[in-house]
Amino acid sequence: CEGETFASDALTVVRNVAESCGFSYIIEELSFGPYLKQINNDAAEGLIGWLYRVNDVSPSVGAADYSVQTGDTVLWYYGDFAWTPLRLSLSDTEIGEGETQTTASVEVFVDNSWAVLENASVVVGDTTYTTNASGEATVSPQNGVYRVVAKKDGHIRSNSVLLTVGER
């Protein structure tokens, strides 16, 4: 789910968007404060659970204690603390009739900066493309509208980008 909401803290973001995004959640009260234990069927287990990042950085406080500022981007994901976020961009988000391709660029957030990512998967409908050493993949889908994402094991899935191919 992507969108905007007003929230005083990072945990309130989950509460505010649950209904509009169509998910259920469970927050447990623990000795160190509230903990997001589950969204839909994905429950925390061992070292894998619901984690959050603000402006791509993993804060050192619990979500209920992190004060969100206007313009902050809060990302909740199910995974491991060691996972790093991916960022996807397309050279063109609209490919007209007769045009055949766009370039997908994938980056990873490491050491507080973005770097290109080789061998990432760029998913366009039922087709997967792989990025080269420059973090790019040439994408040539059939006519249609697609939500394009980038994935790689050990990383947080990228943002989604809407791609329109052919007549609208």
Side-chain angles (χ1 to χ4, degrees), residues 1-152:
C1 178
E2 294 180 32
E4 294 184 17
T5 187
F6 174 80
S8 58
D9 59 74
L11 188 58
T12 300
V13 169
V14 173
R15 291 182 175 118
N16 288 355
V17 302
E19 185 175 339
S20 64
C21 290
F23 65 81
S24 61
Y25 63 91
I26 296 172
I27 295 174
E28 278 189 357
E29 284 297 327
L30 302 176
S31 60
F32 54 82
Y35 173 68
L36 180 60
K37 180 174 176 94
Q38 184 170 334
I39 291 182
N40 286 339
N41 294 325
D42 295 317
E45 189 175 321
L47 296 176
I48 302 292
W50 286 99
L51 305 167
Y52 77 105
R53 286 178 171 258
V54 179
N55 303 323
D56 303 312
V57 176
S58 183
S60 59
V61 297
D65 295 324
Y66 187 92
S67 296
V68 177
Q69 304 300 312
T70 300
D72 280 348
T73 298
V74 178
L75 169 69
W76 279 95
Y77 66 99
Y78 184 77
D80 184 291
F81 276 110
W83 292 5
T84 51
L86 302 181
R87 178 170 70 181
L88 171 70
S89 61
L90 298 177
S91 60
D92 293 301
T93 56
E94 293 184 9
I95 303 174
E97 203 64 47
E99 298 175 38
T100 58
Q101 62 191 32
T102 186
T103 301
S105 299
V106 179
E107 298 173 294
V108 60
F109 192 73
V110 183
D111 297 327
N112 292 320
S113 65
W114 290 98
V116 298
L117 184 63
E118 184 176 11
N119 293 323
S121 297
V122 177
V123 181
V124 183
D126 294 333
T127 306
T128 300
Y129 302 85
T130 303
T131 58
N132 60 22
S134 299
E136 297 180 342
T138 300
V139 174
S140 329
Q142 301 284 328
N143 287 355
V145 178
Y146 304 91
R147 287 225 167 260
V148 183
V149 296
K151 299 177 180 181
K152 187 170 183 179

